[in-house]
Amino acid sequence: MPSTLNAPTTTTAQEIMERLHLLAQHTEQEGMMTRTYLTAAHRGAAGQIAAWMRDAGMTVRRDAVGNVIGRYEGTEEGRAVLMTGSHFDTVRNGGIYDGLLGIILPISCVAAWHRAGKRFPFPIEIVAFSEEEGVRFKAPMLGSRAIAGTFQHAVLNNTDEQGISMRDAMQAADFDPAKISAAAAPKDSIAAFIEVHIEQGPVLLNEGLPLGIVTAISGASRFMLELEGLAGHAGTVPMNMRHDAAMAAAELALFIEQRCSNIDGLVGTIGQWQVPNGATNVIPGRCTLSLDLRAGDDAIRLAAVNDIETELARICSKRGVRSKLTKTYETTSATCAPWLQDGWRTAMALNNCTPRLLPSGAGHDAMAIATIAPMAMLFVRCGNGGISHNPAETMTSEDAGIAADVFMDFVEHFDAVAASATASN
């Protein structure tokens, strides 16, 4: 039977949606949802999330990278924690549901349990991960990597557009980079990690389904590419004598599009492209661009990276252009634990939801935590064609309510699902 505590679905759904909109007020630019790591808007959002956690009956702490962690204590001492959560940073000019839903929805569910005086044998922790998108310092998943114990300390030297290093930004916000290692979760302290997230795609919307169960999260390779040719007068240098850095970038971009178009699940994106100090009448002497490659199969992704590197060398040799390709991020694909998928399936059945299985092409904090604990994800349908990382990103209150009901039933049956998985092994 579904949880009897799920009765006020409408109230819970309204609270979730209202809080998502309230949190959107913490932005770096009015009228545009931008909240990057350790800015004033970021710090304001952290304070608001912590207040809601306390109101829901949780104790709250912050770790050395700024994660906001709310704990709802269990009744049995020494039990491993059921962890959930998502990130509260955003891309520039993004949406208000990406990441935030996975923080606000669990807080509202814990608040319902707290009002009813209900606790579980195991503790629940909701983690508002401080950084996932990698916008400000070009290093994603800082919060979840710190908890997983896989934080790469070299990124502390990365600088933002103003030349501020991550190390200096952390110290200015009263976080001590020397204590990041202490943020790592102790071995076997996490029984499982679950993340609720908007799909960021059109599959559920097109099939008329409110929820989906994630099977795996695609691995990713990200690079920054610098191309250096020779600037010259746009009117006086013949085409066959040019060393045009931007044209070299364009040729590579078309190769990437072609290479990634022929294999299902492989995608390649150039999201940033600049000609520094460019002018209308000057042949570009420099060009910088980003490259993002993803696939659910790591072998497919790495083969594409190899082919792109080979093609880059060919293009540069032909055009007389020098290149510097710097890897900024790499993560392997992560499989969602089958027994946790079964838990979602059981909870969805209790709420008359079709258990649609689908992969995630987007990266999530869940894949970082998957290195230390079993993990699974629940996708929630989004509207406007499934668009995300965009101001047009949206979802409905009704779907928020359904997701909250399923989340609550998952938690309330967690011990039974875990016991069944142990028995079957």
Side-chain angles (χ1 to χ4, degrees):
M1 293 291 292
S3 167
T4 57
L5 295 179
N6 294 15
T9 299
T10 302
T11 301
T12 301
Q14 289 174 344
E15 178 181 85
I16 292 168
M17 300 300 283
E18 288 170 1
R19 287 181 170 182
L20 287 166
H21 283 85
L22 284 171
L23 209 57
Q25 297 176 12
H26 295 281
T27 179
E28 294 167 35
Q29 186 174 345
E30 187 174 353
M32 180 184 293
M33 186 67 263
T34 300
R35 185 166 57 241
T36 60
Y37 186 49
L38 297 182
T39 58
H42 187 269
R43 295 194 297 273
Q48 179 62 81
I49 290 167
W52 285 331
M53 287 176 169
R54 292 188 186 98
D55 289 344
M58 288 179 273
T59 57
V60 181
R61 70 185 191 275
R62 297 198 72 182
D63 63 18
V65 293
N67 292 324
V68 184
I69 305 168
R71 183 179 177 93
Y72 192 63
E73 199 57 69
T75 59
E76 295 181 5
E77 188 174 349
R79 286 287 301 270
V81 68
L82 175 59
M83 182 178 286
T84 187
S86 196
H87 61 97
F88 66 97
D89 67 315
T90 75
V91 297
R92 300 192 189 281
N93 197 25
I96 70 171
Y97 305 96
D98 174 17
L100 277 302
L101 177 67
I103 301 168
I104 301 305
L105 183 148
I107 291 175
S108 291
C109 293
V110 168
W113 287 317
H114 180 59
R115 287 191 298 268
K118 182 175 179 61
R119 290 186 182 269
F120 302 94
F122 49 86
I124 299 170
E125 285 190 351
I126 301 173
V127 183
F129 293 108
S130 58
E131 204 283 349
E132 188 253 19
E133 298 289 4
V135 172
R136 185 176 180 187
F137 295 106
K138 304 298 183 291
M141 298 188 191
L142 299 178
S144 49
R145 283 174 177 260
I147 290 178
T150 56
F151 186 94
Q152 300 294 315
H153 287 73
V155 302
L156 292 169
N157 298 318
N158 291 10
T159 57
D160 65 10
E161 294 174 354
Q162 284 70 48
I164 300 170
S165 72
M166 186 190 301
R167 178 180 286 102
D168 289 344
M170 291 180 70
Q171 291 172 339
D174 294 326
F175 294 113
D176 185 355
K179 295 181 179 179
I180 291 175
S181 297
K187 180 177 173 59
D188 299 326
S189 63
I190 304 173
F193 177 83
I194 55 174
E195 182 169 358
V196 179
H197 205 285
I198 59 169
E199 182 197 347
Q200 298 182 281
V203 174
L204 296 175
L205 181 67
N206 290 348
E207 295 184 11
L209 299 172
L211 305 176
I213 300 170
V214 179
T215 55
I217 306 172
S218 293
S221 298
R222 294 181 188 173
F223 302 86
M224 289 301 297
L225 173 61
E226 300 176 47
L227 294 169
E228 185 175 352
L230 182 65
H233 196 292
T236 61
V237 181
M239 295 299 290
N240 64 349
M241 296 182 182
R242 298 185 177 199
H243 305 288
D244 189 324
M247 287 297 182
E251 186 173 354
L252 181 68
L254 290 174
F255 173 82
I256 292 169
E257 182 181 51
Q258 181 274 329
R259 177 64 176 77
C260 294
S261 295
N262 298 323
I263 299 177
D264 187 41
L266 175 65
V267 292
T269 304
I270 294 176
Q272 296 177 312
W273 189 320
Q274 289 90 28
V275 176
N277 303 314
T280 304
N281 58 348
V282 177
I283 299 165
R286 289 188 67 231
C287 186
T288 63
L289 57 155
S290 65
L291 171 59
D292 183 310
L293 284 169
R294 307 188 192 203
D297 185 317
D298 291 330
I300 290 175
R301 171 176 52 85
L302 294 174
V305 170
N306 183 70
D307 288 349
I308 290 167
E309 290 176 337
T310 299
E311 181 65 8
L312 172 63
R314 186 195 69 78
I315 291 170
C316 288
S317 176
K318 179 185 71 172
R319 292 180 174 272
V321 172
R322 293 183 296 277
S323 68
K324 180 182 178 182
L325 185 65
T326 303
K327 183 182 294 182
T328 58
Y329 172 77
E330 183 166 80
T331 186
T332 57
S333 58
T335 301
C336 297
W339 67 275
L340 292 174
Q341 293 185 52
D342 288 343
W344 286 129
R345 190 178 288 106
T346 297
M348 290 174 71
L350 288 170
N351 291 275
N352 299 314
C353 292
T354 302
R356 175 63 157 90
L357 303 179
L358 71 167
S360 173
H364 300 283
D365 290 301
M367 65 196 310
I369 304 300
T371 62
I372 60 169
M375 75 83 185
M377 291 190 69
L378 182 72
F379 269 171
V380 183
R381 170 174 55 191
C382 46
N384 285 343
I387 196 168
S388 182
H389 282 189
N390 186 297
E393 176 183 284
T394 189
M395 62 172 288
T396 67
S397 176
E398 291 77 12
D399 286 353
I402 295 169
D405 286 348
V406 169
F407 179 88
M408 293 181 79
D409 276 314
F410 179 98
V411 173
E412 295 192 8
H413 292 87
F414 176 69
D415 263 354
V417 172
S420 177
T422 300
S424 64
N425 291 331

